[in-house]
Amino acid sequence: MSPHLLTRSLDRAATIFILVVAACGILIPLSNLLLPAGSFLQVPTYLVALWGKYVCYAILALAIDLIWGYCGILSLGHGAFFALGGYAMGMYLMRQIGTRGVYGNPILPDFMVFLNYPKLPWYWYGFDMFWFAALMVLLVPGLLAFCFGWLAFRSRVTGVYLSIITQAMTYALLLAFFRNDFGFGGNNGLTDFKDILGFNVQADGTRAALFLLSCLALIVAFLICRAVVTSKLGKVLIAVRDAESRTRFLGYRVESYKLFVFTLSACMAGVAGALYVPQVGIINPSEFAPGNSIEAVIWVAVGGRGTLVGAALGAIVVNYAKTFFTSGALAPYWLFMLGAMFILVTLLLPKGIVGTFNAWWEPWRAGRKSAAAESAAREDGVSEPNPAE
C-alpha cells in the first residue's frame, strides 16, 4: 500500500478524525503521567484504561463498517474474531506469569494445575514469545474468516441467512470455550496477568503506553479502510453491495472480493481484541456471546453505516452511554434503552449521526459555493446569457 494511495484517500473529515485521535493518544497519557493526582486536568488511570477500551471498540466498529457499510455483508458474529484475538494475547500474558502464579508452576497456568493437566497442550506452544502471539492475533481470526467465508460465499449465502450462520458460529465457539477440557480456562477464562514485554501490566506507564498503542492502531485501521473504500476495489465492493447480481454479470468474481474484505475485517477485529485484553485484565467466553456482536452492529448503525468516522464515533458514544447509565439507578434498564436507541435511529436517522449530518451538510455547502460563484460573476460583470436573445 503506497503512501500516495493513503494520502489520496484522505479528505477533510478523515484528516480531522486522525488528528483528534492522535491528539487524544498523546495528551491523555501525558496528563495521566505528568500532572499531579487530584489536578483538574489530570486523567486518572482508570479513565485511561476505560477510554482505551472504547478505542478498541472503535477498531471493531471500523471492521464491521468495512464489510457491512461498503460491501453489504451483515455479520452478527464479529465478536468471535474479536474474542479470538483477545485469547491469543491472553495466552501470551498467561505464559509470562511463570512461577508468580498461585501454584508456582513455571510452565502450566494456574487453571491447568487446578484441573490436573499433565502437560501443556500443544496449541499453547510458542505463546511464550510475543512475536508468535502477535502473529496468531492476525492468523487465527483471519484463517477462521477465510474458511468460513470461502464456504459461505462460494455457496452464495447472502442476506439474513448469512447473518444467522455468523451468529451460529460465534455461539458454537461460546459453547466450546466454556468447556474446562478445551484448554482455555473454561468459564473463568484467562486473567491475573502480570506483565507484557517485561513491563508491569498494572503500572500507570504501561496503561498509558497501551492507550497510545490503541490510538495508533485505530489510525492505522482507519487508513487501511479509507485506502480500500476509495480505491477501485472499494468501488467494486459498493457495486456488490448495491447490485450483486449485476456486478457478477459484468464479469467480476464477487466471491473473491467478499472473501478478501471479510478476512481483512476479521484480522482488524482480532487486533482490537488483542489490545483490549491487557487493558481490561481478563478474557473469558462471555466475549463470544452473540449479544456482543449485535451490540457492535448497533454502534455502526448509530454512528452511520458506510462512513467509517461514524462507525468509530458510534462505538465511543454508545459505550460511553453504557458506562454512564449502567452505574446508577437506570442500570437494569440499559438493554431497553439500547434497543430504543437503535429503533429511534433506524426510524429518525436511518443514515446514522454522521450520515445524516453529511446528507444535510453537502447540499448546504454546494449551495454556498454556487451562491459565491454567482456573486463573483456579478462583481466581474459576467452574467448568464438570456435564452430569449
Side-chain angles (χ1 to χ4, degrees), residues 18 31 64 100 107 122 150 172 184 201 213 233 287 298 356 363:
I18 291 174
S31 171
I64 294 175
R100 292 173 292 176
I107 303 297
W122 63 268
W150 188 82
F184 295 101
V201 76
L213 185 60
L233 169 62
E287 296 297 336
I298 294 177
T356 302

Side-chain angles (χ1 to χ4, degrees), residues 112-349:
M112 291 188 182
V113 177
F114 179 77
L115 295 174
N116 297 319
Y117 273 66
K119 62 179 181 178
L120 192 71
W122 63 268
Y123 44 85
W124 276 75
Y125 294 162
F127 279 96
D128 55 333
M129 298 176 288
F130 181 80
W131 68 266
F132 183 83
L135 180 62
M136 291 299 105
V137 164
L138 294 172
L139 186 60
V140 174
L143 184 60
L144 175 61
F146 181 85
C147 296
F148 176 87
W150 188 82
L151 294 172
F153 302 142
R154 183 170 175 267
S155 303
R156 298 190 180 181
V157 179
T158 59
V160 66
Y161 303 103
L162 181 64
S163 301
I164 291 173
I165 62 174
T166 56
Q167 196 171 40
M169 174 192 69
T170 189
Y171 189 68
L173 288 170
L174 168 70
L175 296 179
F177 274 77
F178 259 119
R179 295 174 58 92
N180 286 328
D181 58 357
F182 205 58
F184 295 101
N187 182 46
N188 295 322
L190 309 178
T191 188
D192 194 30
F193 308 134
K194 303 298 183 183
D195 51 42
I196 179 171
L197 291 174
F199 297 97
N200 184 358
V201 76
Q202 300 293 335
D204 292 353
T206 305
R207 290 188 177 276
L210 287 170
F211 177 80
L212 175 59
L213 185 60
S214 299
C215 290
L216 290 175
L218 176 58
I219 293 174
V220 171
F222 180 78
L223 288 174
I224 292 174
C225 291
R226 284 288 303 180
V228 169
V229 302
T230 57
S231 64
K232 293 181 180 179
L233 169 62
K235 291 180 173 58
V236 176
L237 295 178
I238 294 174
V240 172
R241 179 195 67 188
D242 296 339
E244 181 174 336
S245 299
R246 187 174 299 178
T247 306
R248 183 178 287 109
F249 178 76
L250 291 174
Y252 291 97
R253 299 195 60 176
V254 170
E255 293 77 15
S256 299
Y257 286 94
K258 294 170 74 172
L259 182 59
F260 168 76
V261 74
F262 189 73
T263 304
L264 175 61
S265 175
C267 292
M268 291 172 53
V271 171
L275 292 169
Y276 170 85
V277 167
Q279 297 186 82
V280 299
I282 188 173
I283 177 72
N284 58 39
S286 65
E287 296 297 336
F288 287 100
N292 292 348
S293 299
I294 296 173
E295 189 173 331
V297 171
I298 294 177
W299 306 339
V300 178
V302 170
R305 173 189 171 194
T307 60
L308 293 182
V309 174
L313 179 64
I316 294 173
V317 168
V318 174
N319 280 286
Y320 177 79
K322 181 178 181 179
T323 302
F324 180 80
F325 287 110
T326 55
S327 58
L330 296 176
Y333 308 103
W334 162 245
L335 290 179
F336 297 101
M337 297 172 64
L338 182 64
M341 182 189 303
F342 182 64
I343 293 173
L344 290 175
V345 168
T346 303
L347 295 177
L348 303 179
L349 301 174

